[in-house]
Amino acid sequence: MPISGEKLQDRARDTALALPGVSHGRPFTEQLEAYKVAGKVFLIVADDPDERIVTLKAEPEYGRLLQHEQYKSV
């Protein structure tokens, strides 16, 4: 079952923080929380309560696969 909004952001944050070697901070603006591994950003979570956005970086082939799986389950 898909999740959205604040629950999705919380799950993304918790999952990222559970990974080894992850750091996080707000290097861009106070509203964007960035998660990094090996100095590279892989997750950005927006703190705007009107727009609950999670941006996840992935290799293009994996991104397409994940998008396909998401739309199959909706």
Side-chain angles (χ1 to χ4, degrees), residues 30-69:
E30 203 49 43
Q31 288 78 28
L32 297 177
E33 189 172 11
Y35 292 78
K36 298 179 181 182
V37 69
K40 297 192 183 240
V41 174
F42 70 93
L43 172 69
I44 297 174
V45 180
D47 281 338
D48 183 344
D50 295 327
E51 291 191 72
R52 299 289 183 175
I53 299 171
V54 173
T55 302
L56 181 64
K57 291 177 76 176
E59 293 293 330
E61 63 272 14
Y62 296 122
R64 284 189 289 277
L65 177 64
L66 291 168
Q67 287 173 344
H68 178 72
E69 289 300 313

Side-chain angles (χ1 to χ4, degrees), residues 4-15:
S4 61
E6 192 173 355
K7 285 185 180 183
L8 177 63
Q9 289 179 314
D10 289 344
R11 174 126 3 129
R13 285 182 180 107
D14 292 345
T15 300

